[in-house]
Amino acid sequence: MRLGRIASPDGVAFVSIEGEGEERTAREIAEHPFGTPTFTGRSWPLADVRLLAPILASKVIAIGKNYAAHAAEMGSEAPDSPVIFLKPNTSIVGPGAPILLPPPSSEVHYEGELAVIIGRPCKDVPASKALDVVLGYTVANDVSARDHQRQDGQWTRAKGHDTFCPLGPWIETSLDPSDVEIRTEVDGEVKQRSRTSLLLHDIPDIIEWVSAVMTLLPGDVILTGTPEGVGPITSGQSVSVTVEGIGTLTNPVAAKK
């Protein structure tokens, strides 16, 4: 199932996105998408509504340096254990929403990633049961101000600006995430291309590690890490991140006024 969140003439709603191409429709879900969704009976052509970020997260947990080649390009050793950090939920935006470049930064980078969406409250989840707590997967861009990282010596400001966590276009619940391609393009030029099979710490291990630290709640987002090829974006450009089996997340880039 593809789960999304839309703005329609009737308001904001969770939906099941059905069909393909121009025939896609958004079928309204009653209340929330967790568990077995029930439907209101209303639907719209997808072209007639606006896709929003597909989930409302209490928190976004990100994994740093989770591809060896990316760790190397950042001048770091590949970590033995997952490196985790938080992005505020106010950094989340949906497809088509602009990534706003903050004036204090002159070096903002894209980072295409696969994101995991948690489906139920959980704590201390063993890796062997980790996929049982997953609702599905979506596409993410962990936008990062590199100069802020260097200035601060930690990542909160660099990763936490409003609009620095685009998510979408929807959540795919039936994906096998163990070996799918991630591709990032800037103005149509491929900048990143890798596969999740190259993750240093796979998704079950990540969930075990994170849930040993903090309780995970329905809708929480885990960003699994970006491959090599990160680089700068500037106002007027467009960034597209594609994850095989899910779809493409595209956001324009604009200067914050």
Side-chain angles (χ1 to χ4, degrees), residues 41-57:
R42 296 195 298 182
S43 65
W44 303 267
L46 191 61
D48 292 349
V49 299
R50 179 165 59 92
L51 282 169
L52 306 173
I55 203 68
L56 298 171

Side-chain angles (χ1 to χ4, degrees), residues 46-190:
L46 191 61
D48 292 349
V49 299
R50 179 165 59 92
L51 282 169
L52 306 173
I55 203 68
L56 298 171
S58 76
K59 54 187 172 292
V60 180
I61 308 103
I63 310 299
K65 305 174 186 177
N66 204 22
Y67 289 82
H70 173 59
E73 77 176 348
M74 299 302 289
S76 302
E77 297 290 330
D80 293 331
S81 300
V83 175
I84 63 175
F85 60 93
L86 294 173
K87 292 172 76 82
N89 56 12
T90 48
S91 66
I92 295 173
V93 292
I99 298 167
L100 298 177
L101 305 178
S105 177
S106 60
E107 193 181 351
V108 175
H109 283 199
Y110 56 82
E111 291 191 6
E113 308 197 11
L114 171 70
V116 180
I117 311 300
I118 298 299
R120 60 181 176 85
C122 57
K123 181 76 169 74
D124 296 321
V125 182
S128 61
K129 297 183 178 180
L131 297 186
D132 295 344
V133 306
V134 173
L135 174 66
Y137 306 88
T138 193
V139 185
N141 188 350
D142 176 20
V143 182
S144 307
R146 297 289 182 224
D147 45 359
H148 290 178
Q149 280 184 267
R150 290 192 298 270
Q151 291 163 14
D152 297 353
Q154 47 90 4
W155 299 353
T156 302
R157 181 168 67 123
K159 303 278 193 173
H161 288 280
D162 288 357
T163 76
F164 270 27
C165 189
L167 295 176
W170 41 65
I171 297 165
E172 177 59 64
T173 64
S174 60
L175 182 75
D176 176 356
S178 60
D179 184 24
V180 294
E181 184 185 73
I182 298 176
R183 185 177 72 252
T184 303
E185 300 178 10
V186 178
D187 289 344
E189 180 181 352
V190 176

